[in-house]
Amino acid sequence: MSKTVLVSGGAGFIGSHVTVELAQAGYDVVIADDFSNCDETNYKGVCAILGREMPLVTMDFCDAVAVERLFGQWHIDAVIHFAAFKAVGESVQEPLKYYRNNLLSFLNVLEAAKRQGGCNVLFSSSATVYGEPEELPVTERSPRQPATSPYGNTKQMCEDFLRDAVGAYPGIRGVALRYFNPIGAHPSALIGELPRGVPNNLVPFITQTAIGKRECLSVFGNDYPTPDGTCQRDYIDIVDLARAHVCAVARMLDGRMKAGYEVFNVGTGRPVSVLELVTAFEKVNGVKLNWKYAPRRAGDVTAIWADPSLANKELGWRAERSVEETLAAAWAWEKRLAGK
Ligand code: WQD
């Protein structure tokens, strides 16, 4: 009998790609989203890729009654929790909004999991928990640093909620996946990133500049202690990232976990500088990007990339796409959005 996976935030950038990979792997997927930070574009794209209407529940995960009702309506074998606010800067301006939304929604999921006598819970965490790392690459045993934003703090706190719930309530098993920098889009160009307003993140800013929506990309800082002076990150293809979720869900459902709570880095292990990314984008897509150096952006770490060997070994997963393939997919998506 096939297993049912609930994907909260399933209409968002990561959630939509995960839904596609889960469904293609044979899972029954229930998408839940409140559409507070996205429209129906990705939901429709998911249905188009899969060739069928996917079950969709429009709901707010801060509504405990609605979450309880959802768990009563479906037999949920595993839940993947994406539903959260994610703008780092906004979280500094409006910390309570972030704490209320990101913490309460996850508490409601954990309480529903407890009430039904157990569940497999996958939490979408972030490399932001490592702060400015002392050693590179970072492993799962690298220390978490005090969070520098309320957004980052909610990621750390939710990891702890899950760890403690697993420790206290039999039947709850948990995995936290720490994503590095997810970029790109589905090769069909039917789903992708849809930032509202001016993008904060690098790749959407690059594609919007290339298409002419933005005048010029600012490369924040050229005096970092890195080979070319710009920051280094571990950019992970969104479909590769989505596949890691399928591996983690299968591990939980098949009883292959080595502990009730496990943490995995989801990255490529390959550092790429801002300059290298810009150059790769221009080369693979044959476009010239208008960019200039600008002062450092407050709060940016100099360099971070993953040691993904634990996920490689335990999840049987590895990142496969080159950064060039990923940047080509990001560009195809931007062009499709622009109707070009
Ligand atoms: C990457 C690099 C910038 C924009 C953030 C969050 C993290 C996560 C993903 C979100 C940096 C440089 C960027 C621009 C630039 N989670 N840059 N010009 O900061 O590594 O991670 O997003 O849900 O928690 O912190 O990603 O894409 O913003 O920046 O030069 O216009 O690109 O300085 O070096 P970041 P990013």
Side-chain angles (χ1 to χ4, degrees), residues 14 85-88 125-129 149 151-152 155 179-183 193 199-206 216-221 224 230-235 272-274 277-278 292 294-297 299-302 304:
I14 304 180
F85 294 150
K86 61 172 187 176
V88 179
S125 191
S126 167
T128 192
V129 303
S149 72
Y151 163 79
K155 290 295 177 198
Y179 313 144
F180 284 69
N181 287 57
I183 61 165
E193 208 167 354
N200 293 312
N201 297 116
L202 180 58
V203 169
F205 207 104
I206 288 177
C216 183
L217 167 76
S218 291
V219 172
F220 298 136
Y224 285 99
T230 66
C231 294
Q232 294 172 305
R233 296 287 184 275
D234 186 334
Y235 295 95
V272 174
S273 75
V274 178
L277 200 82
V278 167
K292 63 172 195 300
R296 291 182 177 197
R297 182 173 71 176
D300 275 341
V301 302
T302 300
I304 183 163

Side-chain angles (χ1 to χ4, degrees), residues 97-334:
K97 175 178 163 182
Y98 273 68
Y99 287 125
R100 166 167 289 277
N101 186 64
N102 293 8
L103 302 182
L104 190 55
S105 60
F106 195 47
L107 284 176
N108 286 338
V109 167
L110 291 172
E111 275 170 358
K114 177 192 163 204
R115 215 175 294 116
Q116 80 163 20
C119 195
N120 298 291
V121 182
L122 194 161
F123 177 65
S124 68
S125 191
S126 167
T128 192
V129 303
Y130 297 116
E132 179 91 59
E134 271 160 32
E135 275 183 356
L136 287 165
V138 290
T139 74
E140 292 78 359
R141 288 167 308 286
S142 299
R144 292 191 324 189
Q145 308 277 359
T148 53
S149 72
Y151 163 79
N153 208 9
T154 66
K155 290 295 177 198
Q156 298 202 1
M157 291 166 87
C158 285
E159 284 192 354
D160 295 346
F161 291 178
L162 181 54
R163 179 200 62 205
D164 294 348
V166 166
Y169 309 119
I172 298 188
R173 281 171 298 275
V175 168
L177 295 183
R178 292 178 177 159
Y179 313 144
F180 284 69
N181 287 57
I183 61 165
H186 195 265
S188 65
L190 290 168
I191 54 176
E193 208 167 354
L194 278 168
R196 292 205 161 160
V198 182
N200 293 312
N201 297 116
L202 180 58
V203 169
F205 207 104
I206 288 177
T207 56
Q208 289 196 7
T209 306
I211 206 91
K213 270 172 95 173
R214 311 278 155 211
E215 210 166 294
C216 183
L217 167 76
S218 291
V219 172
F220 298 136
N222 63 347
D223 57 351
Y224 285 99
T226 57
D228 65 20
T230 66
C231 294
Q232 294 172 305
R233 296 287 184 275
D234 186 334
Y235 295 95
I236 168 87
D237 181 272
I238 187 67
V239 177
D240 279 340
L241 179 93
R243 286 191 301 101
H245 294 72
V246 179
C247 296
V249 163
R251 180 178 173 90
M252 290 196 284
L253 290 172
D254 299 348
R256 285 187 277 116
M257 294 177 74
K258 294 203 170 141
Y261 172 65
E262 295 181 326
V263 179
F264 298 103
N265 285 341
V266 183
T268 66
R270 168 187 70 202
V272 174
S273 75
V274 178
L275 217 49
E276 285 171 334
L277 200 82
V278 167
T279 309
F281 181 86
E282 290 185 320
K283 195 163 168 225
V284 71
N285 294 315
V287 294
K288 189 90 200 74
L289 203 66
N290 193 21
W291 69 269
K292 63 172 195 300
Y293 285 120
R296 291 182 177 197
R297 182 173 71 176
D300 275 341
V301 302
T302 300
I304 183 163
W305 65 91
D307 176 343
S309 50
L310 191 67
N312 297 161
K313 177 163 172 271
E314 296 295 332
L315 296 180
W317 167 89
R318 70 180 58 243
E320 285 168 2
R321 286 194 170 75
S322 67
V323 81
E324 285 79 12
E325 283 174 277
T326 305
L327 291 171
W331 182 228
W333 164 247
E334 186 70 59

Side-chain angles (χ1 to χ4, degrees), residues 31-48:
I31 300 170
D33 209 297
D34 68 355
F35 294 94
S36 63
N37 195 32
C38 64
D39 60 19
E40 290 205 343
T41 306
N42 277 335
Y43 171 69
K44 288 182 180 151
V46 166
C47 298

Side-chain angles (χ1 to χ4, degrees), residues 42-56:
N42 277 335
Y43 171 69
K44 288 182 180 151
V46 166
C47 298
I49 292 167
L50 297 172
R52 61 193 147 99
E53 277 300 287
M54 293 298 288
L56 169 68

